[in-house]
Amino acid sequence: MNSYSMDNKVALVTGGATGIGAAVVDSLTQAGAMVVISDINVAAGKAKAEDLKAKNLRAEFIEHDVSSEAQWQSTIDKVVANNGGLDVLVNNAGILIGGLLADLSIEDFRRIYSINVEGVFLGMKYAALAMRPGGSCGRGGSIINLSSVAGIVGTPGESIYGSSKGAVRAMTKHAAVEFATLGYGIRVNSVHPGPVATPMGGQVLETLASDKLLGSEEAAMQLVQNLIPMKRFGEPHEIAQLVHFLASDASAYVTGSEYVVDGGFTAM
Ligand SMILES: NC(=O)c1ccc[n+]([C@@H]2O[C@H](COP(=O)([O-])OP(=O)(O)OC[C@H]3O[C@@H](n4cnc5c(N)ncnc54)[C@H](O)[C@@H]3O)[C@@H](O)[C@H]2O)c1
């Protein structure tokens, strides 16, 4: 069997209604997976699932706020009950609040961390409880956490966001080592995109273009192009293909690793 095939696998993709998450949903369903899309954007999530079903691909939508522990418990329970298991969790949902460190508030900090860090922690916790031996599915699995190049290097206007992604990067490695040591059969890896053409990618440019930073869209675009050897933003499907590799059996010996997909940004 093709080791990239996702036949017989059940995947949950958080924030799967739009952007990178939606591209991941496309890749995994096209490879044969049953994909549960979870998101707070109900209209876009339902539309995405309907669109895939119309193409004879397997998908369903669940409304789910990743910052809620109760919703994580009920979402994982529903995915397992409705689909007979859970093999892949893509912790993709995330938010960016840009701005100068000195202007950002403690409320901004807590909001970003509640989604980007607590959401990933809760996802790994409840997925591991279900995937590990003796859990409600108990057949191991693969967890992919969306971090960012901002979790590895500094950029202006992204201090809280970047630090939340650094937390995801470290938590990924700790979970991977712990789960492997305990023989759970659960791999955990992080993916680190550079700027990607999605609504959040637009927010990155807006922050850089603000009066307190570079002062114009042209200057912001120039800086981004200078930072990226390939001179362009990534496309959502270019991130999704890496996630597909990590979700599939093609990456059976890969755990605790961080994968940049950034047009050369962090190689400079
Ligand atoms: N776009 C980029 O430039 C870029 C770069 C590096 C990393 N990332 C990361 O990739 C992931 C996806 O980013 P994107 O660009 O597609 O963002 P996006 O803003 O385009 O989409 C994010 C999705 O997450 C959903 N979401 C937000 N809060 C949620 C919550 N509390 N619970 C459930 N769903 C929620 C949104 O409704 C949306 O559908 C994020 O973790 C982001 O930090 C993005």
Side-chain angles (χ1 to χ4, degrees):
M1 197 174 95
N2 172 359
S3 60
Y4 287 85
S5 167
M6 297 297 293
D7 285 347
N8 307 319
K9 291 197 192 287
V10 178
L12 170 61
V13 181
T14 70
T18 66
I20 293 170
V24 169
V25 170
D26 288 337
S27 282
L28 298 183
T29 52
Q30 282 160 18
M34 166 65 213
V35 178
V36 180
I37 301 163
S38 89
D39 209 295
I40 49 172
N41 185 338
V42 176
K46 280 187 176 164
K48 182 78 197 159
E50 289 311 314
D51 180 49
L52 292 165
K53 281 189 223 163
K55 294 174 181 154
N56 287 324
L57 297 170
R58 296 184 302 145
E60 69 182 38
F61 172 72
I62 291 183
E63 182 177 359
H64 170 210
D65 180 341
V66 297
S67 65
S68 159
E69 180 159 16
Q71 288 188 32
W72 264 113
Q73 278 178 291
S74 64
T75 296
I76 298 273
D77 286 351
K78 271 188 226 158
V79 172
V80 174
N82 292 352
N83 302 290
L86 175 66
D87 304 286
V88 173
L89 168 64
V90 184
N91 274 317
N92 164 79
I95 61 161
L96 165 69
I97 302 174
L100 301 189
L101 188 145
D103 293 339
L104 290 163
S105 66
I106 192 65
E107 287 74 28
D108 293 329
F109 187 96
R110 289 180 182 139
R111 171 136 180 76
I112 291 185
Y113 268 65
S114 72
I115 294 169
N116 294 8
V117 183
E118 292 180 25
V120 170
F121 160 66
L122 292 169
M124 290 204 288
K125 173 182 165 117
Y126 286 100
L129 286 170
M131 290 173 170
R132 71 182 181 180
S136 56
C137 15
R139 56 186 193 229
S142 174
I143 299 176
I144 298 107
N145 295 328
L146 264 291
S147 177
S148 168
V149 292
I152 302 175
V153 297
T155 51
E158 295 187 357
S159 54
I160 304 176
Y161 172 80
S163 78
S164 76
K165 294 300 183 178
V168 169
R169 178 193 190 204
M171 193 161 38
T172 298
K173 293 180 196 298
H174 286 279
V177 170
E178 182 176 299
F179 294 172
T181 303
L182 294 171
Y184 282 7
I186 303 172
R187 300 182 295 107
V188 193
N189 294 286
S190 59
V191 169
H192 301 255
V196 181
T198 68
M200 189 184 287
Q203 266 184 283
V204 172
L205 274 183
E206 268 172 41
T207 303
L208 286 172
S210 68
D211 286 344
K212 287 187 174 175
L213 274 167
L214 302 178
S216 75
E217 264 182 38
E218 294 70 35
M221 189 53 94
Q222 192 60 52
L223 176 72
V224 170
Q225 289 191 340
N226 289 343
L227 289 172
I228 304 173
M230 287 180 73
K231 304 276 179 228
R232 66 171 177 85
F233 273 38
E235 293 296 328
H237 73 270
E238 294 173 318
I239 316 304
Q241 282 161 9
L242 178 56
V243 174
H244 174 190
F245 164 70
L246 292 169
S248 75
D249 295 341
S251 58
Y253 192 52
V254 178
T255 198
S257 291
E258 57 188 61
Y259 283 80
V260 295
V261 48
D262 66 355
F265 188 132
T266 48
M268 290 256 274

